[in-house]
Every structure is written in C-alpha cells, then in structure tokens.
Amino acid sequence: MLPWKRALRPLAALLLTAAVATVPAATAAAADTAPSTGWNDFSCKPSADHPRPVVLVHGTLGNSVDNWLALAPYLKDRGYCVFSLDYGQLAGVPLFYGLGPIDKSAEQLSAFVDKVLAATGAAKADLVGHSQGGMMPRYYMKFLGGADKVDALVGIAPDNHGAGLSGLTNLLPYFPGAADLIKATTPGLADQIPGSDFLTKLNADGDTVPGVHYTVIATKYDEVATPWQSQYLSGSDVHNVLLQDLCPLDLSEHVAIGLFDRIAFHEVANALDPAHATATTCASAFS
C-alpha cells in the first residue's frame, strides 16, 4: 500500500465514526415491516382528518426501524397511516443504511412512495425525513417526478446544503485523495460533503419545486449539518424553524432532535396538519 493511502485511512475512519455517532446503536433488525408498533401497515387507510399517508425517511446510517421508534408511534397515535423504508444499503453492510449514492437512494424512495400510494389509495403522501432523509427527497421531487406525488416535506435537521461536521470536512483538501477514497467506499457520505457534485446539482436553480409545502426544523446545537443555518431552504412555500425559538431550554443536537424530541415532533405534526396547528412551546414535550 502506498504511504499516502495508509495516511488517509485515519481520516476516512474519523469521518465514518462521526457519522456513526449520529445514529443510535441498532436495536432491531431493519425490515419492510416495523415491529409491533402499528406502522408499515399496508392495510391502513387514511382518514378524512389525515388523508395522506406519512412516509418517514431515515438519516445516514439509520434504518427504517431505529430512526423512528419514537416519531412513528407519535404520529400513528394521532391518526396517521405511517410508513418507513430502508434505502442506500452497501453490499455486505447490514442495519446501517443511507451510504449508497443519493440519486440511487432517491429512486428507492420513489418506488416506495408508489407502493404506499397504491396500497392506501391516496393521491399524495407527506414525507418526514431526518438528516439525509430530509434532504434526499428533494432530489426525488426535483428530478424523478415526485413533486406530483408529495404534498409536504418536513426536514428534521436536514443537510440541505451539506454536512460540514463542524468543520471536519474542511480538512479534506489537506489529505490528497481523501475525497476520492470516501466517494469510492461510502458514496452517500461523499454526496453530502458541502460543494459536492450531487449538492451542486440538487440546489441549482432554486431549493424548491412548485406545489410542495416545505418545513425545516433545525437546532442551533447541530454538530453535523453545520452551520445550522445551511439547513434552511429558500422558496415561496418554505417554513424554516429554529427549535430554540420554540423552546429556548431545548438542548437537542443533530441526533436527539430526530430520535426523541417531542417538541420537534409537535412541530412536525403542525406541518402535516397546519389547519389544526397549535403553538409549539417547551410544554409540547409533555403533549
């Protein structure tokens, strides 16, 4: 092995470790059917109050179960038909998904949404995604015809303009070949590096597409999608929210906001049903 390749290994490992730290240890095998929670029930028919199914899109190194052990039941208890998928699997890597090329992951999302719409009879779905899962659907809507099938996209700490990892990715130019190595081994991570070809294409000609309602829920303590302001979208139908504006006491960072923060969940529910929205405050943690 060439010396420079050996030197790149620690950096690649550091980047991967930082990403791994953004998801919980796997507590259940990811599968098409979530475990006894009531979500991914393809016999579920949307109600008049909630006429669109909700598709949950996990983040990098997450999966269809672990990422949603709190939010899926939260939404199901409120009367939604809730579904989740696995996407972006690398060969030989179980449980941890979202590592494959993001454009291919968007194709998997497209197929899953079609499956959900066919099963539920709904004309459109709402998408709720964490981290990469809040950004990747924008590719689906912009380039794969998803805008006609989606009413709302809610991004929880989405890396819409890249995952800067608190400046860690700025070190890549100092390690020749590092970016190429990451792209070759974990293309889903490479696509999320600020300035990547994928993000450049995604954000060219505007952040949004007509007909979709966008909500971004960010936390100023985010250590992955940094700076946190880069999560925000620009467009005519965009609602950008900072969690600490809703509850200054909320200390959730990139992981917690998506996994168990009920204040963020309350704002998700508001975005899915704006006609019946109620104020999100610190007290929403107990709602």
Side-chain angles (χ1 to χ4, degrees):
M1 178 181 296
L2 295 176
W4 67 269
K5 287 188 176 181
R6 189 179 301 112
L8 290 178
R9 280 188 167 180
L11 178 62
L14 183 60
L15 287 170
L16 188 57
T17 299
V20 170
T22 70
V23 297
T27 58
D32 228 15
T33 302
S36 63
T37 57
W39 88 87
N40 272 352
D41 175 5
F42 281 87
S43 67
C44 185
K45 300 299 180 183
S47 66
D49 289 337
H50 302 303
R52 294 179 301 277
V54 177
V55 175
L56 303 177
V57 191
H58 64 73
T60 306
L61 291 162
N63 62 54
S64 63
V65 176
D66 293 337
N67 219 137
W68 307 120
L69 290 172
L71 181 57
Y74 181 96
L75 295 175
K76 191 73 175 61
D77 289 346
R78 284 156 179 76
Y80 289 92
C81 290
V82 182
F83 302 86
S84 61
L85 77 155
D86 294 314
Y87 68 85
Q89 183 179 22
L90 293 181
V93 181
L95 295 178
F96 300 106
Y97 297 82
L99 295 172
I102 298 181
D103 57 346
K104 300 303 180 184
S105 294
E107 294 176 4
Q108 296 169 35
L109 174 62
S110 177
F112 189 80
V113 171
D114 285 349
K115 179 181 177 181
V116 168
L117 295 181
T120 60
K124 291 187 175 184
D126 290 330
L127 308 182
V128 179
H130 180 213
S131 193
Q132 180 188 163
M135 172 270 288
M136 177 268 281
R138 294 177 48 225
Y139 188 95
Y140 158 59
M141 294 186 296
K142 194 169 186 178
F143 299 109
L144 303 179
D148 294 332
K149 303 174 184 179
V150 174
D151 184 78
L153 170 63
V154 184
I156 305 172
D159 55 340
N160 282 314
H161 299 93
L165 295 175
S166 299
L168 184 61
T169 56
N170 293 333
L171 299 177
L172 288 173
Y174 297 99
F175 293 84
D180 291 337
L181 179 62
I182 295 170
K183 185 174 183 179
T185 56
T186 52
L189 295 182
D191 284 344
Q192 294 176 79
I193 295 173
S196 70
D197 291 343
F198 174 84
L199 288 172
T200 298
K201 177 180 179 180
L202 176 64
N203 294 314
D205 303 318
D207 290 345
T208 63
V209 294
V212 178
H213 308 294
Y214 295 84
T215 299
V216 173
I217 305 171
T219 171
K220 68 180 181 180
Y221 300 113
D222 202 305
E223 73 280 27
V224 176
T226 58
W228 63 262
Q229 294 90 339
S230 68
Q231 300 172 30
Y232 282 180
L233 296 172
S234 298
S236 59
D237 196 350
V238 173
H239 181 47
N240 292 314
V241 181
L242 180 64
L243 189 62
Q244 284 72 35
D245 286 343
L246 307 175
C247 176
L249 301 178
D250 196 318
L251 302 179
S252 288
E253 40 64 71
H254 187 80
V255 180
I257 190 176
L259 296 190
F260 52 77
D261 191 313
R262 291 177 68 92
I263 297 170
F265 294 176
H266 187 272
E267 194 64 10
V268 169
N270 281 346
L272 295 176
D273 188 7
H276 299 94
T278 57
T280 301
T281 66
C282 294
S284 300
F286 308 100
S287 64

